Amino acid sequence: MGWIPVFKGVSGAGEPDLYDLWTGSTSLNELNDSVRALDANIKAHFKSPLVERWSKFQVRKVKISFYANGEEAAFIEFDGASTDKNNWFAKKRVGHSSFGDLKQASTNYFSIKGDLDAPLNRHFFSNKNYGGCGYDFGWTVVVTQDGDCTWERKQTDYPLILYSPVPEGVLWQSNKPGIADFMAIFLEFADSCPHEAVILNGVTYTFEASPADFLAHSLELCSFDNNPLALRMCNGGVWEGILVEPCASNSISNLAKVIITEEIAEKVGMYLSILTSEEKMDSKVNIEDVALILEGITIVGGGNRMITNFTVNVVSNIQNADDDVFTADNNSMSATSSIVKSLETQIGSLSDFKDVEKNVAVQNTHYCPEALENGIGFASLQPGNATGLQKENIETFEDVDDFLMDIIETSIALPPAILQTGSNQIQVSFIVYQTSKLFASNRLISNKQRAIGSRVISATVEDVTVEGLNEPIRAAFLPVMEHVSGNPECVFWDFELENGQGDWSNEGCYLNKTSDGRIVCFCDHLTNFAVILDYHGQTGEYDVLSFISIIGCSISIACLIFTIITFSCFRNLRGKRPQRILVNLCFSLLLLYTTFVIGIGLTSCPNCCIVVAILLHYFVLTTLFWMLVEAVNMYLKFVVIFYEETRSFMLKSAVLGWVLPVLPVTIIAAVNFKGTYSNEHYCFMKPGPALYGGILAISAIILAINFVLYTLIIRKLTCRRIMTTANTANDKELPVRRVRNAIAIMMLLGLTWIFGFFAVDSSKGNRILFQSLFCVCNSLQGFFIFVLFCARRKDVRDAWAKCCCHCRGFFTRSASEQRYTSVEKTTDATNTQTSGGGLGLIVPIPLTTR
């Protein structure tokens, strides 16, 4: 392929300076084919991006040409091997040229830089000698400003491009120099690919002519980082396929990589606004990237109304994302606080600004303090059937007594004391959020029964610290979320909580009253306010399950007490190993159920709650380990028929059942007992690694072992051959007895706990089913043990019957003795009276007659 144009400078075209353009790092008009063309009719310069990539490929030749009247009037060709964009213009590299004397003549200047001595500004300068303006002699020069000599001031518009129109050099001061319409610089490569524009999926990608084995960049660039939109390999003079590159404007993640400056902040804000719109935003958008971009544009964009508009729009748009985007992890939850701070910072940098979007409304106004003698307020009015905030429903009011008007849904009222600062002007900012998504709270995530039930509203008085007010700030909220009601708590967003992540706090805020369905809160400081309410989004199934658990545990407690008494009082029942294991299991379950019923709700006493949580952890583990002991004992009894009796089996079992569970409890408590066992919602371990490792993992291991042993035991009981002849009645009773034994073993080994694992990560319907089965089976485990091992066992019934008969005989004998003693005393008293003691004389009547 021939010469490839990479630069064109037009005489009289003005800025930019041709020398600065060539040595600078930017291209110019590379996508304008008319400017690129070798035509002087358009007064504009051209520079190809190839100039900046000069060192990336092998240049064979370089040519500079001077055009007049549409034709090439003079030229110089250079050897381009091992050159860069600044050193190719050198006499030692001159090859073919229109100037016959150039190679042999001596020169005092021959470079692109030329002569920069003030006031001269002569570039692309090939000159033979200096000797005053009348003796200056040379071949090429580009003058970019007025000089001392008259030949440098032939026209008013620069650049002035001069050349020698003859084969020899020319005296610049004479009338012989030619004035070029434009000059052009060309490159020559081996096996180059042509300049080409390709349309792909409706997008045009233009590629400069490029040398072989060269990865060409599209002339179309990304908006911020000047990276190419696409890449394309020139392979032996043939273009390969186009590789489209991601741009910052294509995704939020790419936009987050841009270094934001004041010059591009508006453009970044615009693209972020577009990328977070409902049409563009990915439902799983990275909230951290959004926070980073907003923070960047607000740092450099303070006081810029356009950036503020984009910021408000982004904050509104982002609230349309899925809930789990805001609570994915601690980083995303910290990012939400950062977004709120960025919005507040940007709003505070302006004055007299108002913007209402679907999910956020802001207003910033300057006031004269004397005009606010009755305070000031901000409100969102009743929106009727509106699905979001509307401009006509956002108002301010200058009488704080109006904050409970019937049409107001959410409002905040500032007392006059805040506004009397002594200044002539005071700036007040208000914000109301449609949702609470940007206030992701660990406190509420861990308590599914509580939720923000109102919009979030905030107020800020610039340059005024508001705290410890005698007359409080008043906020009124009408619950706007479904399934929330009752037990209201007035809260504010404290950015310092959770190590700077932020969370809801009620410090300095309290519930004043309810009025017309509104919840009225009083606070002694300014920030973002809302109301937390009880949440009933699960139609009460959790309340029902809690009630079932308490009732079941209470019944089990009574049954376990009776079972323990039974096997402890009767010598013939407590002498064997299975009965002793059963007593220990019952005792562990009794302690577990009793602690649960009495202490699970003691959240009002934090220290008591921690103790209860630790005890529940311990007793859950002891119960599981005694279930394991029972499983091992049954396995030895029913499966391993011939085995050597284990020495000190019960002592070893006691160590396993009562001592070993102490280890995980002690380790977890020693590491962080407050962070693990301190829970403001219920007295048990908080969800987290400690719960998963300290209970769930151990439970899973024990239940897996028990399941294997249970399977072997049931298989043995079911498949064992009957060695003796059974009668018909016994044959009918055998399946029933086997099923009864299977259920008994299941209750003892705790396999019903598997329902609890099935309840995790199941679909809603299955989760409720498994939760119900788990609550019923486990809370009534003590009752099942009583029925199967007390009520249905004949030897237990006989023992109690014998005991009852013995007690009845004892009480019968005691009553007879008491009656006999009473008769004796009556007889003695009668005899005493007959012998004359008393007031009357009683004479016995003879029963027979003589």
Side-chain angles (χ1 to χ4, degrees):
M1 184 180 176
W3 295 103
I4 298 172
V6 295
F7 187 82
K8 187 177 90 169
V10 180
S11 291
E15 297 294 335
D17 181 281
L18 286 187
Y19 174 72
D20 292 339
L21 176 60
W22 178 263
T23 58
S25 60
T26 58
S27 55
L28 182 68
N29 292 322
E30 63 272 26
L31 289 172
N32 193 327
D33 289 338
S34 60
V35 174
R36 176 194 293 266
L38 300 177
D39 186 349
N41 291 326
I42 297 179
K43 294 290 185 177
H45 308 309
F46 156 73
K47 179 184 176 183
S48 167
L50 287 178
V51 175
E52 298 311 309
R53 303 188 70 197
W54 192 299
S55 60
K56 303 294 184 182
F57 47 80
Q58 294 181 353
V59 177
R60 294 176 59 182
K61 292 182 181 180
V62 186
K63 183 172 76 167
I64 184 169
S65 297
F66 299 83
Y67 287 79
N69 300 318
E71 296 182 357
E72 184 181 63
F75 70 91
I76 307 173
E77 291 183 7
F78 300 87
D79 179 11
S82 302
T83 61
D84 59 36
K85 70 174 185 177
N86 293 316
N87 66 9
W88 58 272
F89 192 91
K91 184 182 176 184
K92 66 181 180 179
R93 295 184 177 276
V94 173
H96 185 51
S97 174
S98 62
F99 310 120
D101 63 338
L102 181 61
K103 297 182 68 173
Q104 292 78 26
S106 60
T107 60
N108 60 342
Y109 281 97
F110 205 121
S111 70
I112 294 173
K113 182 179 180 180
D115 188 357
L116 285 177
D117 291 340
L120 306 178
N121 211 356
R122 303 167 180 176
H123 306 291
F124 296 93
F125 195 25
S126 56
N127 201 64
K128 183 175 182 179
N129 65 274
Y130 272 176
C133 293
Y135 298 95
D136 295 341
F137 182 92
W139 296 272
T140 64
V141 64
V142 176
V143 181
T144 57
Q145 66 181 34
D146 283 346
D148 290 338
C149 301
T150 56
W151 63 268
E152 296 175 293
R153 300 192 298 271
K154 289 189 176 182
Q155 60 184 47
T156 56
D157 294 329
Y158 288 91
L160 174 61
I161 303 173
L162 300 177
Y163 67 96
S164 173
V166 295
E168 299 81 19
V170 66
L171 187 68
W172 300 120
Q173 188 75 351
S174 67
N175 293 324
K176 293 181 179 180
I179 301 176
D181 296 328
F182 63 90
M183 78 168 190
I185 299 174
F186 302 86
L187 302 180
E188 184 181 89
F189 316 112
D191 300 324
S192 59
C193 295
H195 176 85
E196 187 175 62
V198 179
I199 299 176
L200 182 64
N201 297 326
V203 179
T204 300
Y205 301 99
T206 307
F207 296 91
E208 188 66 278
S210 300
D213 302 323
F214 180 74
L215 184 63
H217 294 178
S218 66
L219 299 181
E220 293 82 6
L221 303 177
C222 296
S223 302
F224 307 116
D225 49 16
N226 289 326
N227 287 328
L229 285 178
L231 304 176
R232 197 179 189 191
M233 179 63 75
C234 176
N235 190 353
V238 178
W239 285 116
E240 292 186 352
I242 296 175
L243 175 63
V244 178
E245 289 287 287
C247 254
S249 57
N250 291 344
S251 71
I252 293 176
S253 60
N254 289 333
L255 192 60
K257 301 174 185 176
V258 174
I259 298 175
I260 301 173
T261 62
E262 187 174 352
E263 291 73 22
I264 66 170
E266 281 190 20
K267 189 176 290 186
V268 174
M270 177 189 69
Y271 275 106
L272 182 60
S273 176
I274 294 172
L275 293 171
T276 56
S277 64
E278 292 188 50
E279 297 79 13
K280 296 285 187 179
M281 184 171 59
D282 183 356
S283 60
K284 299 300 181 182
V285 62
N286 189 329
I287 197 71
E288 298 170 56
D289 288 339
V290 176
L292 180 64
I293 299 169
L294 282 180
E295 183 179 7
I297 65 175
T298 54
I299 288 175
V300 301
N304 187 312
R305 289 182 176 272
M306 188 64 69
I307 291 177
T308 307
N309 281 323
F310 289 139
T311 301
V312 174
N313 186 256
V314 169
V315 173
S316 177
N317 290 345
I318 200 67
Q319 294 181 66
N320 293 321
D322 295 342
D323 290 348
D324 56 0
V325 167
F326 303 92
T327 57
D329 51 40
N330 288 335
N331 290 334
S332 63
M333 295 172 73
S334 296
T336 59
S337 277
S338 176
I339 291 174
V340 174
K341 287 181 180 179
S342 295
L343 177 62
E344 292 179 353
T345 300
Q346 191 62 27
I347 298 302
S349 70
L350 293 177
S351 61
D352 301 319
F353 177 86
K354 182 177 181 179
D355 191 10
V356 179
E357 302 287 343
K358 178 181 178 181
N359 293 315
V360 66
V362 303
Q363 181 164 331
N364 183 316
T365 309
H366 272 93
Y367 295 96
C368 176
E370 290 77 11
L372 301 177
E373 58 182 12
N374 294 320
I376 189 172
F378 180 71
S380 167
L381 307 182
Q382 280 279 17
N385 296 325
T387 57
L389 299 173
Q390 296 180 344
K391 188 172 184 178
E392 60 270 20
N393 292 324
I394 303 298
E395 292 186 5
T396 57
F397 48 91
E398 297 183 4
D399 188 344
V400 295
D401 292 332
D402 293 338
F403 82 111
L404 277 180
M405 291 188 298
D406 290 340
I407 61 173
I408 289 180
E409 176 191 70
T410 303
S411 64
I412 187 169
L414 309 184
I418 298 178
L419 309 170
Q420 307 306 316
T421 63
S423 174
N424 293 330
Q425 290 286 323
I426 186 171
Q427 181 172 308
V428 185
S429 302
F430 297 103
I431 305 176
V432 61
Y433 299 88
Q434 170 75 359
T435 74
S436 61
K437 290 182 178 181
L438 292 176
F439 302 88
S441 166
N442 276 320
R443 173 185 176 187
L444 296 181
I445 289 174
S446 60
N447 184 3
K448 301 301 183 182
Q449 305 300 317
R450 302 280 280 166
I452 295 296
S454 67
R455 291 195 171 114
V456 181
I457 195 168
S458 74
T460 304
V461 181
E462 299 298 329
D463 301 323
V464 175
T465 301
V466 181
E467 57 184 14
L469 297 174
N470 293 325
E471 184 180 355
I473 294 160
R474 292 178 283 180
F477 304 91
L478 191 67
V480 295
M481 287 184 62
E482 296 181 357
H483 310 304
V484 290
S485 63
N487 195 18
E489 179 184 2
C490 298
V491 292
F492 76 98
W493 187 256
D494 189 341
F495 288 99
E496 302 302 321
L497 293 180
E498 300 289 340
N499 297 320
Q501 176 179 302
D503 210 332
W504 294 109
S505 171
N506 57 14
E507 183 177 355
C509 293
Y510 60 91
L511 176 66
N512 176 255
K513 63 179 179 178
T514 57
S515 176
D516 297 329
R518 293 181 188 82
I519 299 163
V520 181
C521 297
F522 282 6
C523 294
D524 62 2
H525 53 269
L526 282 178
T527 183
N528 299 278
F529 301 102
V531 173
I532 295 177
L533 295 169
D534 285 339
Y535 182 66
H536 304 290
Q538 303 296 330
T539 64
E541 66 260 20
Y542 291 115
D543 293 335
V544 173
L545 294 178
S546 298
F547 179 76
I548 291 174
S549 297
I550 296 296
I551 296 299
C553 288
S554 300
I555 294 173
S556 289
I557 288 172
C559 293
L560 289 169
I561 291 174
F562 187 84
T563 303
I564 292 172
I565 292 174
T566 297
F567 285 94
S568 299
C569 291
F570 299 112
R571 183 177 301 174
N572 63 316
L573 297 179
R574 68 172 183 266
K576 297 181 180 180
R577 182 195 298 169
Q579 286 74 22
R580 293 198 295 270
I581 296 174
L582 180 63
V583 169
N584 279 277
L585 175 59
C586 291
F587 189 63
S588 180
L589 279 171
L590 176 62
L591 294 174
L592 173 61
Y593 289 141
T594 304
T595 305
F596 175 83
V597 172
I598 296 175
I600 192 67
L602 292 179
T603 55
S604 58
C605 176
N607 292 332
C608 301
C609 197
I610 291 175
V611 173
V612 169
I614 293 175
L615 289 176
L616 284 175
H617 184 193
Y618 173 69
F619 290 136
V620 166
L621 294 181
T622 59
T623 301
L624 288 169
F625 276 104
W626 275 111
M627 290 176 183
L628 178 60
V629 171
E630 182 64 36
V632 172
N633 184 62
M634 286 187 175
Y635 176 78
L636 295 176
K637 180 178 180 181
F638 295 114
V639 179
V640 184
I641 299 177
F642 301 104
Y643 72 96
E644 294 182 3
E645 186 68 24
T646 304
R647 296 181 60 184
S648 304
F649 182 88
M650 285 307 300
L651 178 60
K652 295 176 182 178
S653 298
V655 171
L656 179 65
W658 296 113
V659 178
L660 188 58
V662 174
L663 294 179
V665 177
T666 303
I667 292 172
I668 292 174
V671 172
N672 185 12
F673 77 93
K674 284 189 176 180
T676 302
Y677 296 109
S678 179
N679 197 322
E680 61 182 0
H681 308 298
Y682 48 80
C683 298
F684 195 60
M685 300 173 71
K686 286 184 177 179
L691 175 64
Y692 305 143
I695 289 185
L696 295 185
I698 297 174
S699 302
I701 293 171
I702 293 177
L703 291 177
I705 296 173
N706 284 4
F707 179 79
V708 173
L709 297 179
Y710 166 74
T711 303
L712 295 174
I713 293 167
I714 295 300
R715 180 176 178 274
K716 193 68 175 180
L717 291 176
T718 304
C719 300
R720 177 184 293 169
R721 295 182 179 180
I722 302 175
M723 302 302 298
T724 59
T725 303
N727 56 33
T728 305
N730 288 337
D731 289 341
K732 292 180 180 180
E733 187 183 352
L734 182 59
V736 177
R737 188 166 62 250
R738 289 175 177 170
V739 172
R740 185 175 68 242
N741 289 338
I743 295 174
I745 295 171
M746 182 188 294
M747 293 299 104
L748 280 179
L749 304 190
L751 295 181
T752 54
W753 286 51
I754 295 177
F755 294 143
F757 287 94
F758 286 159
V760 179
D761 292 333
S762 299
S763 62
K764 181 177 179 181
N766 292 336
R767 183 171 62 250
I768 295 174
L769 171 63
F770 287 125
Q771 285 173 340
S772 302
L773 291 173
F774 178 75
C775 286
V776 172
C777 293
N778 273 42
S779 64
L780 292 175
Q781 197 168 26
F783 171 74
F784 294 143
I785 289 175
F786 164 74
V787 171
L788 293 169
F789 294 93
C790 285
R792 295 184 63 85
R793 283 184 55 173
K794 187 175 184 300
D795 54 347
V796 175
R797 296 199 303 271
D798 291 343
W800 275 110
K802 183 177 180 181
C803 178
C804 291
C805 291
H806 176 73
C807 292
R808 185 174 59 186
F810 171 76
F811 287 116
T812 302
R813 288 194 302 273
S814 297
S816 300
E817 291 173 357
Q818 290 176 1
R819 287 195 299 273
Y820 178 76
T821 303
S822 176
V823 171
E824 276 191 329
K825 290 182 178 180
T826 303
T827 305
D828 291 342
T830 303
N831 292 337
T832 303
Q833 292 174 352
T834 305
S835 61
L839 297 178
L841 178 63
I842 300 176
V843 179
I845 301 173
L847 297 179
T848 58
T849 57
R850 294 180 185 267

